[in-house]
Amino acid sequence: MGVTNRLACYSDPADHYSHRVRIVLAEKGVGAEIISVEQGRFPPRLLEVNPYASLPTLVDRDLALYESTVVMEYLEERYPHPPLMPVYPVARGNTRLLVHRIQRDWCSLVDLILDSRSKEPARVQARKELRESLTGVSPLFADKPFFLSEELSLVDCCLLPILWRLPVLGIELPKPAKPLLDYMDRLFAREGFKASLSALERDMR
C-alpha cells in the first residue's frame, strides 16, 4: 500500500537526476503525483515554487524542494521505512560521501556525454573515462548485494539511473566487469526499480 498524500514531483522523464528521486519514491511506496516536464516547457506552477525551474522539484503541501540530493534526503527523513540511509552517523557520512563521489566522478561525465553542446572529442574521452572507471570499481560489487552495503541505499538510487543509461551513453561494459553486470541484472529486476521507470526510460533498453 502506498502512502497517500498531496505530494507532487516535477520530473524530467529522460533525466537521471529525476530518475533517482523516482526510485526513492517507488522503493518507499510513496504515492506521489509524477508530473512529467520536458526541458524548456515548464508549467507555471513549477516556476512559482522553484526560482531555478530545475528538475526534479518536489512539492509537499507548502514546501518545495529542488536539487536531487536534498529531495532524496528529505524523503528519507519524511518516510523512514524502508530506510535508505544507515542508522549510525559514521555510516551515514560514508553514504553521503559516496553520493557526492558519484556526482563528482560519474555524473559529470554522463552530463558531458549527454549535453548536445559537447564537442565530439570531449564526448569520446568522457565515454572512455566512464567505462574504465566503472570497470575499475566492478570488484567492489562482488561481496555485497548492493553497492558496498547489505541494504539498498541512496547510493544505489544515484548509481542505477547512470547504469540504466549506458546504452544511450554509448558504453558497453567488458566481461571483466561481471560483478557490476550481475548487480545491474539484480537491481533492474526489482519491483521498485521497474516502477520508477518513465516510458522514455523503458525505451532506453
Side-chain angles (χ1 to χ4, degrees):
M1 277 294 292
V3 184
T4 53
N5 53 26
R6 286 169 293 171
L7 205 60
C9 180
Y10 291 89
S11 164
D12 179 334
D15 174 59
H16 65 103
Y17 296 107
S18 290
H19 190 186
R20 49 168 73 167
V21 170
R22 282 185 268 116
I23 295 173
V24 173
L25 289 165
E27 286 288 348
K28 288 183 174 290
V30 176
E33 182 191 0
I34 305 290
I35 302 162
S36 287
V37 179
E38 287 172 50
Q39 279 296 347
R41 302 183 63 181
F42 302 118
R45 174 82 179 124
L46 174 61
L47 298 169
E48 273 171 38
V49 297
N50 177 350
Y52 304 104
S54 58
L55 299 167
T57 295
L58 185 81
V59 179
D60 188 358
R61 298 179 178 83
D62 298 331
L63 176 72
L65 294 171
Y66 32 92
E67 188 53 49
S68 61
T69 46
V70 174
V71 174
M72 289 162 67
E73 290 210 16
Y74 172 75
L75 290 169
E76 172 64 11
E77 289 172 356
R78 179 101 160 72
Y79 305 98
H81 299 287
L84 295 175
M85 284 277 271
V87 176
Y88 300 107
V90 170
R92 289 172 87 89
N94 275 325
T95 299
R96 288 190 173 101
L97 196 59
L98 281 169
V99 166
H100 174 71
R101 290 191 64 178
I102 288 171
Q103 194 91 0
R104 198 173 163 141
D105 297 350
W106 293 336
C107 293
S108 55
L109 295 172
V110 171
D111 294 342
L112 191 154
I113 296 164
L114 294 176
D115 189 341
S116 57
R117 295 163 302 187
S118 299
K119 299 273 190 290
E120 195 49 37
R123 271 208 189 100
V124 169
Q125 180 59 30
R127 273 193 202 103
K128 179 174 178 286
E129 276 181 44
L130 186 56
R131 182 176 183 269
E132 286 175 1
S133 185
L134 288 170
T135 304
V137 299
S138 179
L140 297 176
F141 290 85
D143 299 338
K144 294 190 167 149
F146 302 99
F147 189 18
L148 299 175
S149 171
E150 296 296 338
E151 306 288 340
L152 185 81
S153 80
L154 293 183
V155 181
D156 302 287
C157 297
C158 292
L159 184 56
L160 288 170
I162 294 174
L163 297 173
W164 183 258
R165 283 162 175 73
L166 290 181
V168 179
L169 294 166
I171 292 171
E172 196 174 330
L173 293 174
K175 287 202 169 63
K178 189 175 184 328
L180 178 53
L181 292 163
D182 291 347
Y183 163 89
M184 287 160 65
D185 287 345
R186 272 198 321 275
L187 272 81
F188 292 165
R190 285 176 72 89
E191 288 309 314
F193 182 82
K194 289 192 281 193
S196 76
L197 293 167
S198 67
L200 261 172
E201 283 161 345
R202 280 192 207 101
D203 292 343
M204 289 176 179
R205 281 182 173 260

